[in-house]
Amino acid sequence: MQRIGVFVCWCGSNIAATVDVQQVADELAKEPGVVYSTNYQYMCSQSGQQMIQEAIKEHHLTGIVICSCSPRMHEATFRKTAAAAGLNSYMVEIANIREQCSWIHKNKEEATEKAIILGRAAIAKVHLNAPLTAGESPVVKRALVIGGGIAGIQTALDIADAGFEVDIVEKKPTIGGKMAQIDKTFPTLDCAACILTPKMVDVAQNEKIHIYSYSEVESVKGFVGNFTATIKKKARYVKEDVCTGCGLCTEKCPMKKVPNEFNQMLDNRTAIYIPFAQAVPKVATIDPNACMMLKNGKCGVCSKVCTAGAIDYTQKDEYIEQQYGAIVVATGFNTIKLDNFDEFAYSQSPDVVTSLEFERLMNAAGPTGGTLLRPSDHTHPHTLVFVQCVGSRDISGCGKPYCSKICCMYTAKHAMLCREKYPDTEVYVFYIDVRTPGKNFDEFYRRAVEEYGVHYIKGMVGKVAPKDGKLMVQASDLLANDQLLIEADMVVLATAIEPDESARSIATMLTASMDTNDFFTEAHPKLRPVESPTAGIFLSGVCQGPKDIPETVSQASAAAAKVIGLLVKDKLTCNPCVAESNELMCNGCSACEKVCPYGAITYSDKEFRTPYRTTIMRRVASVNPAVCQGCGACTVACPSGAMDLKGFSTRQIMAEVDAICK
Amino acid sequence: MQVEETKEFKPTIVAFCCNWCSYAGADLSGTNRLNYPANVKIIRVPCSCRVNPMFILRAFQRGADGVILCGCHPGDCHYTTGNYYARRRMTLLFSMLDFLGIEKERTRVEWVSAAEGAKFAATMNDFVATITKLGENRRLEDIRCKKQ
Ligand SMILES: Cc1cc2nc3c(=O)[nH]c(=O)nc-3n(C[C@H](O)[C@H](O)[C@H](O)COP(=O)(O)OP(=O)(O)OC[C@H]3O[C@@H](n4cnc5c(N)ncnc54)[C@H](O)[C@@H]3O)c2cc1C
Ligand code: SF4
Ligand code: SF4
Ligand code: FES
């Protein structure tokens, strides 16, 4: 029989004003097993805690019930109190008589009666509590960053700075992400390459960072502190450690008509290619879909011209297994496909471009060497129309319901750069709203209007029709209540952004949750914004939601700080309220394994004695306490009643039910 | 303690609330001082999927007049999928209870987030009103364990 102590808290007048605390303590003293019952003004205060500790020692208490505020508030406090007095911290139960009693009821008699019943339920439960000890699991001091955009780069640099090993897995041949494609960046208009490429070099030179470029994460097993990832290094048919990045092969390759994805398909590259001059790693890659040698064994020019001897047409995909303590998702975004937006004639005219294509057209390293030319006839455009919110804030189902957040600002940037470089142009921007919250953002937008004379028109573009080499833009001006027809040379669509297409499969692999738009969900939208609800998984950059570069970088550093906080620990203490199967009752049916969202349950054959002095082998379930998160799904699925959850056992909950219904 | 003789029927109601959303939602309705009747007693479970149909039968057997299960909104379960399991299990259980002649209004599953203090209170008020109208649960109650 347990020796139970009951401690009823007044919480000043928060509880005592509506609950007769003396009566509660007196009534609960009559419950079986209760050897001590008292009430006090503030149980959580230093003196309150001391009182509890003294009572534990003096009355040799084996379990305590605190009738106080919500366990979400002070369960941890009272567990520590008990532990300090030598009582196992899981021998503590809390009856929530503040949030769920005194604060919601006005009638003192009713509230007191309810407090007594809640106290009885807690006593009934603590009778069945058993001491639990939190297990420990080691932490592998290495982090994995999935995605090598500015988010992944910043996170990796910060983690490496703290002295931990980091691996970046990037699916493209180079790190850099979208920022490498951008020309100048708002709100300061400094060139993206000038601020990004030094960081890429830092990554390449950092001894603690290893880049797996042209690679993907195949599978992830394990749990916080101890993940095992399999990384697939796709065959690039070039020996990475031998290639010097001289680029001779790319000059000599005869296959010159492969659409260049880095330039948003606005020009062509060769079958063997280096995406851009500052690529990291600066290593050539052969596109197996374009290379004649790989397709039908005819050619082999690159291997002949390569003085370093780096070409290897027989290279195979390589699989690497590596252990990590923490994983950061930094998979970024893409602009959406415009198939649902025929009205803008994107597929009909090459002069209708997306904003990212426009970045390439303005970029000195882009297909036109930085001179703004119409893709159709390479002439200089005079009238440009920018359309904002293409596919964003769209609840019709064609686009995305959310605001892509960055488009108002980069459109202002585009318009401004256009007017600055080419004062002879007329620039129109059609918008639903201009949203510029951010440091120096509104000033930036006002400069576009006031200094650069960009025509901002509130209204929608209804249709873009190509006609005689021009683009006829039909639009409405909502403020002037007018219909407009603009003869434009180019139309730029501020296209909505969406998470990378691999996001969902990555989320499934990591058991991380995502929202209906496939953005990764944070553990708490306000208080834990860079952690995923799954322990050990962190979020960095646009994969979590639309962001500009300053925000991406702050989030990336925040994620790194969280990772460092995890990796400095040698051991993690696990939640001891985990499932456990009773091997004598388990029939090995697998029902529990199928419902466990964390893959915590495994099977093994064990020998059991029979009543006839023989032994038999039986398959039984066992739970890995370091993986189990304690949801309890398996306990209900088990048909034999073999699976139970420590701390919330079937008997404990039944006892609570009984106490409440009595 | 003396429980006063009242003519008015006060149903006994058990509410299972998952720790991460609904229990926090219940706390929030307390923090915001939103009233609901004292006959609702909450049992904290880690997740709605911890609730065994047996617990609900036990509650009715022991004299509960209504049982409500609250969890996170679909898609928001702390353990990703727990509330989907709970929803499926309860659908089965409730249809069996219906078959046995237990009014289906006596059982309910509700999704209440940690931010929905007002929804929690409103749900409880509504549930208590429904059960009060239905009257005492006699069909499943085990009269042997009734204290006279
Ligand atoms: C047209 C345009 C103009 C912009 N202009 C500005 C500006 O002026 N100023 C500003 O502040 N912001 C600007 N932005 C926003 C800026 O581009 C983003 O904030 C920034 O690039 C986000 O970085 P990221 O690392 O999160 O994502 P990304 O840059 O998308 O990087 C993600 C990386 O992860 C890789 N990856 C994806 N999935 C996987 C996978 N499964 N495995 C391995 N690797 C993977 C991708 O290949 C990519 O390299 C602009 C955006 C656009 C579209
Ligand atoms: S309690 Fe949940 S996490 Fe633990 S083994 Fe059971 S189903 Fe898996
Ligand atoms: S569900 Fe129960 S009986 Fe079946 S394998 Fe799991 S623990 Fe064993
Ligand atoms: S944690 Fe709330 S329903 Fe699963």
Side-chain angles (χ1 to χ4, degrees):
Chain A
M1 185 79 164
Q2 306 262 29
R3 295 176 59 83
I4 297 166
V6 176
F7 302 86
V8 185
C9 182
W10 304 13
C11 194
S13 64
N14 279 304
I15 293 172
T18 19
V19 170
D20 183 339
V21 283
Q22 183 64 50
Q23 196 189 344
V24 174
D26 291 347
E27 281 300 321
L28 294 181
K30 298 178 195 153
E31 289 297 304
V34 175
V35 294
Y36 181 75
S37 181
T38 188
N39 61 82
Y40 183 66
Q41 239 167 349
Y42 291 106
M43 281 296 171
C44 62
S45 68
Q46 182 116 39
S47 45
Q49 293 192 45
Q50 211 165 355
M51 191 175 102
I52 296 172
Q53 289 173 344
E54 276 159 18
I56 291 175
K57 288 183 193 147
E58 193 183 319
H59 300 275
H60 306 288
L61 302 179
T62 60
I64 59 174
V65 167
I66 321 261
C67 301
S68 62
C69 56
S70 171
R72 295 169 52 86
M73 195 82 189
H74 274 315
E75 188 173 57
T77 316
F78 292 123
R79 285 204 166 140
K80 278 198 202 116
T81 312
L87 180 66
N88 183 282
S89 49
Y90 290 86
M91 297 307 292
V92 179
E93 286 298 330
I94 294 189
N96 184 344
I97 61 166
R98 192 179 76 174
E99 281 86 345
Q100 297 182 1
C101 186
S102 73
W103 275 355
I104 35 173
H105 308 311
K106 295 205 179 81
N107 180 326
K108 192 158 183 175
E109 207 175 307
E110 269 184 2
T112 306
E113 187 194 336
K114 178 170 174 179
I116 293 169
I117 296 175
L118 293 178
R120 281 190 192 132
I123 294 169
K125 187 176 181 194
V126 90
H127 264 293
L128 300 164
N129 277 24
L132 299 176
T133 26
E136 284 184 335
S137 68
V139 179
V140 178
K141 300 199 176 280
R142 191 186 191 94
L144 169 65
V145 175
I146 307 176
I150 180 62
I153 290 175
Q154 186 64 44
T155 303
L157 283 172
D158 287 354
I159 297 173
D161 242 4
F164 297 105
E165 305 276 339
V166 194
D167 292 347
I168 300 180
V169 174
E170 166 58 57
K171 63 177 174 182
K172 304 244 173 77
T174 171
I175 59 169
K178 299 293 169 307
M179 191 175 165
Q181 292 178 279
I182 302 177
D183 180 30
K184 297 215 164 50
T185 57
F186 64 74
T188 44
L189 293 185
D190 36 2
C191 102
C194 314
I195 52 178
L196 175 68
T197 48
K199 274 198 185 289
M200 292 167 60
V201 174
D202 284 351
V203 170
Q205 289 175 346
N206 196 312
E207 283 174 5
K208 299 272 180 197
I209 304 180
H210 186 88
I211 305 171
Y212 290 100
S213 61
Y214 208 49
S215 303
E216 274 162 42
V217 180
E218 269 294 290
S219 71
V220 173
K221 285 204 262 322
F223 47 91
V224 55
N226 209 341
F227 294 104
T228 306
T230 309
I231 297 162
K232 174 180 167 187
K233 263 187 95 166
K234 292 179 278 186
R236 67 194 320 159
Y237 307 102
V238 173
K239 292 180 209 141
E240 216 175 298
D241 43 348
V242 179
C243 174
T244 60
C246 69
L248 205 57
C249 52
T250 64
E251 282 164 30
K252 295 289 184 309
C253 174
M255 295 302 296
K256 296 200 188 300
K257 289 265 185 275
V258 191
N260 185 352
E261 47 286 80
F262 185 73
N263 279 339
Q264 297 296 115
M265 316 295 190
L266 292 167
D267 67 352
N268 293 324
R269 60 162 168 82
T270 43
I272 186 164
Y273 66 107
I274 298 174
F276 57 101
Q278 298 92 342
V280 168
K282 196 163 181 201
V283 173
T285 304
I286 298 183
D287 178 347
N289 297 318
C291 170
M292 296 302 286
M293 187 67 189
L294 291 175
K295 283 207 294 201
N296 48 31
K298 292 192 188 112
C299 183
V301 168
C302 48
S303 94
K304 279 178 213 129
V305 299
C306 179
T307 47
I311 311 290
D312 175 7
Y313 300 116
T314 62
Q315 207 174 59
K316 294 261 153 12
D317 293 348
E318 208 184 313
Y319 293 86
I320 296 145
E321 214 179 79
Q322 185 65 260
Q323 243 121 356
Y324 300 100
I327 299 178
V328 183
V329 186
T331 48
F333 70 102
N334 284 308
T335 47
I336 63 164
K337 302 246 171 350
L338 289 170
D339 303 345
N340 288 337
F341 297 91
D342 275 348
E343 64 268 34
F344 299 122
Y346 176 73
S347 56
Q348 297 158 43
S349 168
D351 297 334
V352 180
V353 297
T354 67
S355 42
L356 201 50
E357 289 165 5
F358 191 76
E359 292 281 348
R360 295 314 298 156
L361 289 173
M362 295 287 279
N363 193 307
T368 53
T371 328
L372 180 61
L373 298 174
R374 299 195 335 149
S376 62
D377 54 8
H378 295 277
T379 57
H380 171 59
H382 293 279
T383 307
L384 288 101
V385 170
F386 288 84
V387 189
Q388 288 198 178
C389 288
V390 175
S392 298
R393 305 169 68 194
D394 180 334
I395 46 170
S396 71
C398 294
K400 302 289 173 183
Y402 49 85
C403 166
S404 295
K405 196 169 182 180
I406 51 177
C407 324
C408 287
M409 282 302 286
Y410 71 56
T411 300
K413 169 183 80 172
H414 292 163
M416 196 188 279
L417 288 175
C418 225
R419 290 278 300 150
E420 185 177 61
K421 247 177 156 174
Y422 309 104
D424 64 325
T425 50
E426 284 297 328
V427 175
Y428 299 89
V429 175
F430 286 93
Y431 67 94
I432 308 177
D433 295 297
V434 177
R435 297 177 164 180
T436 51
K439 194 169 159 183
N440 294 326
F441 281 16
D442 205 57
E443 294 86 329
F444 183 84
Y445 151 67
R446 280 208 309 272
R447 258 170 64 209
V449 180
E450 290 159 11
E451 274 178 46
Y452 290 88
V454 177
H455 309 296
Y456 265 79
I457 301 168
K458 186 177 177 76
M460 311 272 271
V461 169
K463 195 172 170 61
V464 177
K467 192 178 163 206
D468 305 331
K470 293 271 185 188
L471 297 163
M472 308 307 288
V473 179
Q474 289 173 20
S476 52
D477 181 340
L478 290 180
L479 296 182
N481 196 11
D482 202 3
Q483 292 297 318
L484 304 176
L485 185 66
I486 299 172
E487 200 179 292
D489 299 309
M490 266 185 93
V491 171
V492 183
L493 307 176
T495 313
I497 60 172
E498 63 182 358
D500 190 86
E501 66 276 1
S502 66
R504 186 155 283 272
S505 62
I506 296 278
T508 313
M509 202 186 288
L510 300 174
T511 64
S513 33
M514 48 180 17
D515 63 19
T516 47
N517 298 313
D518 280 7
F519 285 114
F520 282 82
T521 320
E522 53 284 4
H524 188 284
K526 292 175 210 95
L527 303 177
R528 295 172 68 194
V530 298
E531 294 155 84
S532 151
T534 306
I537 310 289
F538 302 86
L539 310 174
S540 173
V542 179
C543 66
Q544 180 262 342
K547 281 178 199 67
D548 54 25
I549 298 165
E551 264 189 284
T552 298
V553 172
S554 3
Q555 201 203 16
S557 290
K562 288 284 169 193
V563 170
I564 296 164
L566 171 63
L567 296 189
V568 288
K569 296 196 182 111
D570 292 321
K571 287 204 161 67
L572 294 177
T573 44
C574 326
N575 167 22
C577 296
V578 292
E580 189 177 42
S581 77
N582 181 336
E583 290 177 346
L584 294 175
M585 287 159 87
C586 172
N587 64 25
C589 69
S590 298
C592 53
E593 185 210 5
K594 288 197 192 100
V595 296
C596 177
Y598 304 97
I601 301 169
T602 49
Y603 293 89
S604 55
D605 288 321
K606 285 221 171 137
E607 217 174 67
F608 291 90
R609 279 172 183 243
T610 70
Y612 315 105
R613 298 194 172 185
T614 55
T615 58
I616 49 160
M617 291 293 272
R618 269 200 302 118
R619 192 177 107 104
V620 291
S622 59
V623 178
N624 180 342
V627 184
C628 173
Q629 303 286 312
C631 66
C634 54
T635 59
V636 183
C638 176
S640 358
M643 199 53 101
D644 212 345
L645 190 65
K646 293 189 218 167
F648 292 94
S649 71
T650 303
R651 284 183 64 212
Q652 284 174 308
I653 299 176
M654 293 277 217
E656 285 180 274
V657 170
D658 291 359
I660 288 173
C661 296
K662 214 159 35 187
Chain B
M1 203 198 73
Q2 290 292 87
V3 182
E4 264 181 59
E5 275 287 334
T6 40
K7 291 235 169 63
E8 198 191 341
F9 166 59
K10 290 240 164 93
T12 303
I13 287 167
V14 179
F16 291 97
C17 290
C18 85
N19 182 43
W20 303 96
C21 281
S22 310
Y23 194 87
D27 277 356
L28 184 63
S29 69
T31 312
N32 293 343
R33 312 296 197 273
L34 301 168
N35 281 88
Y36 57 84
N39 20 12
V40 177
K41 314 279 184 321
I42 296 171
I43 296 182
R44 183 163 73 126
V45 285
C47 172
S48 58
C49 70
R50 177 62 188 98
V51 176
N52 197 315
M54 218 158 58
F55 301 164
I56 290 165
L57 292 174
R58 173 80 153 216
F60 281 128
Q61 185 197 21
R62 292 293 159 119
D65 301 296
V67 182
I68 180 164
L69 167 57
C70 301
C72 314
H73 284 269
D76 287 350
C77 170
H78 183 74
Y79 308 96
T80 337
T81 48
N83 46 6
Y84 296 123
Y85 292 132
R87 181 165 64 184
R88 259 175 269 159
R89 288 169 186 157
M90 293 310 138
T91 311
L92 263 174
L93 173 72
F94 294 174
S95 65
M96 187 198 85
L97 287 177
D98 192 29
F99 178 76
L100 293 178
I102 311 296
E103 300 88 338
K104 57 178 179 296
E105 292 81 8
R106 288 198 191 276
T107 47
R108 198 184 277 192
V109 173
E110 284 284 349
W111 310 132
V112 180
S113 84
E116 294 175 327
K119 179 175 178 185
F120 188 86
T123 306
M124 291 307 150
N125 280 315
D126 180 66
F127 192 57
V128 172
T130 311
I131 303 296
T132 311
K133 218 178 287 163
L134 275 180
E136 214 175 325
N137 153 48
R138 291 226 172 76
R139 204 171 276 265
L140 265 191
E141 189 178 358
D142 186 341
I143 42 168
R144 287 168 307 178
C145 48
K146 189 161 179 138
K147 258 207 321 210
Q148 284 308 333

